[in-house]
């Protein structure tokens, strides 16, 4: 995983926009490996699954830089149904 953007509003600041997190991830599927951009709260689909980045921690604070090794990500993976 590569963190492209973390623009979430720090907990100790009042923001006009909430911000987001974007990751570049390698996705393995039946068709092989591909790199995709995942954004917090938005789903991407492969031929068999829907993948959503649902949570990112820790929560940002204005005076603390989050190191890449401190990040934790939660994903929701659902099988797609045949149409």
């Amino acid at each position: 995983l590569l963190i492209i953007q973390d623009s979430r509003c720090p907990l100790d600041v009042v923001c006009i926009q909430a911000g987001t997190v974007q990751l570049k991830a390698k996705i393995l599927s039946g068709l092989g490996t591909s790199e995709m951009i995942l954004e917090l709260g938005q789903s991407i689909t492969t031929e068999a699954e829907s993948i959503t980045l649902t949570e990112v921690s820790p929560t940002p604070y204005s005076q603390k830089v989050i190191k890449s090794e401190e990040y934790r990500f939660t994903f929701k993976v659902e099988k797609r149904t045949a149409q």
Side-chain angles (χ1 to χ4, degrees), residues 11-83:
L11 194 60
D12 56 341
V13 174
V14 176
C15 298
I16 295 171
Q17 293 182 331
T20 192
V21 174
Q22 288 183 329
L23 308 173
K24 182 185 283 187
K26 285 187 180 179
I27 308 292
L28 299 172
S29 69
L31 297 177
T33 302
S34 62
E35 287 191 348
M36 300 186 119
I37 304 295
L38 293 141
E39 186 167 334
L40 184 61
Q42 296 185 3
S43 297
I44 61 166
T45 56
T46 68
E47 69 280 354
E49 292 94 16
S50 172
I51 304 166
T52 307
L53 174 60
T54 59
E55 186 178 335
V56 178
S57 62
T59 301
Y61 284 88
S62 63
Q63 300 300 314
K64 183 180 184 308
V65 175
I66 302 171
K67 297 176 186 171
S68 59
E69 65 269 12
E70 295 176 319
Y71 278 95
R72 298 294 177 258
F73 306 102
T74 303
F75 300 91
K76 179 180 180 181
V77 180
E78 296 177 300
K79 293 280 185 193
R80 292 179 61 196
T81 56
Q83 304 221 359

